[in-house]
């Protein structure tokens, strides 16, 4: 006990045992809650968010464990005199609990008597510094010999300020143990004044905070990693959105193709993003007037999310437009599209539907690659067109794609869509839901009214992935 504290001083009186026990119980309950959170933060370690959460839990558990230990010391009172101290007739400078596990070795105490040049250390301090308890405690002049060269000036300044200016000590330095292990020690202390106000001795509590600092470093590094990850994700998301907006058709609202003549198509389309807006996929829709007066309609979906997928979607859509403008039929177009996707550097899979509409004969020629077939609505009823053979794009390099034809009538309505239009439903269930809209779609005046109806029906639901819908009404 420091000499300036008497036995009847308030700070020397132990707190009520019941209150300490209550604090210990609360601490242990909190440790259990934090440990449960840590166990829930499972994963393979690749997610910076998970690594950050686990690191924070580790840090909190470490500090709560130390708090539990210190409360136990407070409850149990002073320990027996260490053998080394008893042999030297020196009492421990600051009370500490008996060592029950390695955690207690993290906190030790010392007192340096300036009048006799004697030093007394607790047994825990010997363990922290890795020294033999049978050897004499180091004096203040000898203590810097344990400290790393770059930290000696810091320790000297703290001790000098304490002894000369009576300033409390509160700082850290690194020591090198005899086994060459480097440990970080936090030192807190104050001068002990004699009756004339001069400094008679200095006492301190030293704590091994090596694991705490390592945990804090992990937390800091994972937080920085998370921030970099979030910044990169935000940048990629912005690029994906900009790329998607640049590639999808510039027209909004309704469009008529061809612009003149019989059999004109009244067109409208809409892209529905995912509910979070964070997942930018490879869904597209397109309508284009071809040089021979026919109209190209296409929808598709490249698997995955992000900039790479949006870029791949842009490549596929550009290829579809180019081949269609050159007069390539839907079946051959799908075959070449499959070869293009198969030859890309990064393997990818996609589904697509391509239609070529002849306005003079109202003939629809189409092909598909594992994509939902067009839905045809006529006179208040709807049906799914029978799909020609076609496998997923990128699944095999030698795939062939057949074509199908359908003759349309004035007033007919075609609905093309990508998977996920009806959230939480499989493709067959999505078709059933859309076909149930037949009476209402039959009453709609324009293609835009039909798209608005579909969006109002399904656009507000939770959607894991984005989707597209394209409606063509024969005028």
């Amino acid at each position: 006990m420091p000499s300036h504290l008497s036995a009847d001083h308030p700070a020397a009186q132990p707190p009520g045992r019941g209150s300490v026990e209550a604090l210990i119980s609360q601490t242990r309950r909190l440790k259990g809650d934090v440990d449960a959170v840590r166990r829930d933060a499972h994963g393979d370690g690749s997610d910076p968010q998970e690594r950050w959460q686990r690191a924070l839990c580790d840090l909190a558990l470490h500090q709560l464990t130390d708090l539990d230990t210190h409360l136990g010391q407070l409850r149990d009172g002073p320990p027996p005199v260490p053998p080394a101290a008893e042999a030297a007739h020196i009492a421990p400078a600051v009370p500490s609990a008996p060592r029950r596990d390695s955690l207690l070795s993290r906190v030790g105490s010392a007192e340096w008597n300036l009048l006799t040049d004697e030093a007394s250390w607790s047994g825990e301090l010997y363990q922290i510094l890795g020294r033999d308890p049978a050897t004499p405690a180091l004096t203040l002049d000898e203590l810097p010999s344990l400290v790393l060269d770059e930290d000696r000036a810091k320790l000297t300044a703290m001790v000098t300020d304490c002894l000369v200016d009576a300033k409390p000590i509160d700082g850290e330095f690194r020591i090198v143990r005899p086994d060459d292990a480097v440990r970080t020690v936090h030192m807190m202390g104050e001068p002990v004044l004699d009756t004339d106000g001069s400094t008679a001795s200095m006492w301190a509590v030293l704590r091994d905070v090596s694991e705490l600092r390592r945990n804090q470093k992990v937390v800091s590094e994972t937080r920085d990693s998370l921030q970099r990850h979030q910044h990169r994700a935000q940048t990629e998301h912005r690029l994906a959105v900009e790329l998607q907006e640049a590639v999808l058709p510039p027209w909004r609202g309704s469009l008529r193709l061809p612009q003149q003549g019989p059999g004109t198509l009244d067109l409208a389309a809409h892209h529905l993003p995912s509910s979070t807006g964070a997942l930018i996929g490879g869904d597209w829709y397109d309508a284009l007037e071809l040089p021979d007066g026919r109209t190209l309609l296409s929808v598709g979906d490249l698997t995955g999310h992000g900039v790479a997928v949006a870029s791949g979607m842009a490549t596929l859509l550009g290829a579809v437009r180019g081949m269609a403008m050159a007069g390539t039929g839907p079946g051959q177009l799908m075959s070449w599209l499959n070869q293009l996707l198969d030859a890309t550097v990064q393997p990818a899979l996609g589904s697509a539907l391509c239609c070529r509409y002849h306005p003079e004969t109202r003939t629809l020629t189409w092909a598909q690659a594992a994509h939902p077939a067009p839905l045809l609505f006529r006179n208040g009823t709807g049906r799914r067109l029978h799909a020609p053979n076609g496998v997923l794009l990128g699944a095999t390099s030698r795939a062939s794609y057949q074509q199908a034809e359908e003759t349309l009538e004035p007033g007919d309505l075609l609905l093309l869509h990508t998977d996920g239009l009806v959230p939480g439903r499989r493709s067959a269930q999505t078709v059933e839901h859309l076909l149930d809209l037949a009476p209402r779609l039959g009453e709609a005046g324009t293609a835009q009214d039909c798209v608005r109806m579909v969006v109002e029906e399904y656009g507000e639901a939770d959607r894991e992935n984005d989707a597209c819908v394209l409606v063509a009404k024969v005028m």
Side-chain angles (χ1 to χ4, degrees):
M1 179 187 302
S3 60
H4 64 298
L5 291 180
S6 63
D8 59 353
H9 191 282
Q13 301 300 319
R17 187 180 182 89
S19 61
V20 175
E21 290 286 358
L23 288 173
I24 292 174
S25 298
Q26 293 176 10
T27 300
R28 292 175 179 175
R29 284 197 299 270
L30 185 56
K31 282 172 59 181
D33 293 341
V34 174
D35 189 48
V37 173
R38 185 190 184 282
R39 290 196 301 269
D40 289 340
H42 59 277
D44 59 5
S46 60
D47 186 352
Q49 179 74 39
E50 292 178 353
R51 292 200 302 272
W52 185 50
Q53 185 177 12
R54 284 199 299 272
L56 285 175
C57 288
D58 288 339
L59 179 59
L61 284 172
H62 180 90
Q63 293 174 322
L64 287 171
T65 298
D66 277 358
L67 177 59
D68 186 15
T69 300
H70 298 157
L71 289 172
Q73 290 176 321
L74 189 62
R75 176 194 61 194
D76 298 339
V81 177
E86 184 177 15
H89 303 288
I90 300 175
V94 178
S96 60
R99 183 176 184 270
R100 288 184 292 271
D101 53 47
S102 61
L103 292 174
L104 296 183
S105 66
R106 297 190 185 127
V107 182
S109 59
E111 184 169 358
W112 289 274
N113 191 312
L114 302 182
L115 303 179
T116 64
D117 201 27
E118 292 179 330
S120 63
W121 289 1
S122 67
E124 289 80 11
L125 183 55
Y126 276 96
Q127 296 177 38
I128 290 174
L129 302 181
R131 295 183 60 83
D132 184 354
T135 61
L138 298 182
T139 66
L140 284 177
D141 292 334
E142 296 170 332
L143 186 62
S145 65
L146 304 179
V147 181
L148 282 179
D149 292 343
E150 51 266 40
D151 289 356
R152 287 179 184 172
K154 183 189 304 184
L155 174 62
T156 300
M158 288 192 299
V159 171
T160 301
D161 289 344
C162 180
L163 300 180
V164 175
D165 298 327
K167 292 183 178 179
I169 292 177
D170 187 356
E172 294 182 5
F173 51 88
R174 290 166 295 171
I175 58 100
V176 182
R177 292 163 52 102
D179 59 1
D180 293 330
V182 177
R183 309 294 292 180
T184 301
V185 176
H186 182 222
M187 185 176 184
M188 294 184 66
E190 61 183 37
V192 180
L193 303 181
D194 207 343
T195 55
D196 60 358
S198 61
T199 303
S201 63
M202 187 186 84
W203 71 274
V205 173
L206 294 93
R207 180 186 182 200
D208 185 346
V209 294
S210 304
E211 294 184 22
L212 179 63
R213 295 297 172 255
R214 279 197 294 268
N215 286 341
Q216 289 175 332
K217 182 179 180 182
V218 171
V219 170
S220 177
E221 290 175 348
T222 52
R223 181 180 61 245
D224 292 343
S225 175
L226 176 61
Q227 291 174 344
R228 290 193 298 270
H229 176 79
Q230 291 175 334
H231 177 72
R232 182 169 62 251
Q234 292 171 353
T235 301
E236 290 182 354
H237 179 266
R238 185 180 67 253
L239 291 174
V241 171
E242 292 174 353
L243 182 57
Q244 187 181 61
E245 291 178 347
V247 171
L248 290 179
W251 49 274
R252 298 293 184 267
S254 60
L255 175 71
R256 292 203 173 189
L257 295 177
Q259 299 180 3
Q260 297 179 351
T264 297
L265 293 180
D266 177 26
L267 299 164
H270 191 79
H271 173 263
L272 293 88
S274 65
S275 299
T276 62
L279 300 177
I280 303 299
D283 290 55
W284 84 79
Y285 66 86
D286 195 24
L288 182 66
E289 185 174 359
L290 303 176
D292 59 4
R294 302 183 186 188
T295 298
L296 170 72
L297 304 176
S298 71
V299 292
D301 179 12
L302 192 62
T303 57
H305 304 91
V307 176
V309 172
S311 177
M313 178 268 288
T315 300
L316 289 184
L317 183 52
V320 169
R321 290 170 175 171
M323 288 187 284
M325 291 291 287
T328 306
Q332 184 62 59
L333 189 151
M334 285 293 171
S335 296
W336 288 346
L337 204 62
N338 177 67
Q339 293 180 27
L340 175 64
L341 193 59
D342 184 65
T344 56
V345 176
Q346 294 186 350
L349 297 174
S351 67
L353 172 67
C354 182
C355 305
R356 186 172 60 180
Y357 174 71
H358 194 321
E360 294 181 359
T361 61
R362 298 192 181 89
T363 302
L364 183 76
T365 304
W366 65 287
Q368 60 85 31
H371 196 89
L375 303 182
L376 174 61
F377 297 87
R378 178 181 294 168
N379 299 326
T381 62
R383 64 182 176 91
R384 177 179 179 271
L385 298 185
H386 180 70
N389 292 333
V391 299
L392 204 65
L393 296 174
T396 176
S397 58
R398 298 184 178 181
S400 60
Y401 297 85
Q402 298 179 356
Q403 295 185 167
E405 288 190 358
E406 187 76 25
T407 301
L408 304 181
E409 299 177 2
D412 281 354
L413 190 74
L414 278 176
L415 190 151
L416 282 59
H417 66 93
T418 61
D419 278 332
L421 179 60
V422 180
R425 302 293 181 178
R426 296 181 179 180
S427 182
Q429 296 172 322
T430 296
V431 170
E432 293 177 1
H433 276 262
L434 294 173
L435 291 178
D436 288 341
L437 298 178
R440 295 167 58 188
L441 292 175
E443 296 174 357
T446 65
Q448 182 63 32
D449 292 336
C450 296
V451 168
R452 187 178 298 111
M453 184 185 303
V454 172
V455 172
E456 290 175 353
E457 188 74 21
Y458 304 115
E460 298 299 325
D462 290 337
R463 187 180 311 281
E464 294 183 2
N465 299 298
D466 53 353
C468 292
V469 58
L470 171 63
V471 172
K473 185 172 184 179
V474 182
M475 303 304 293

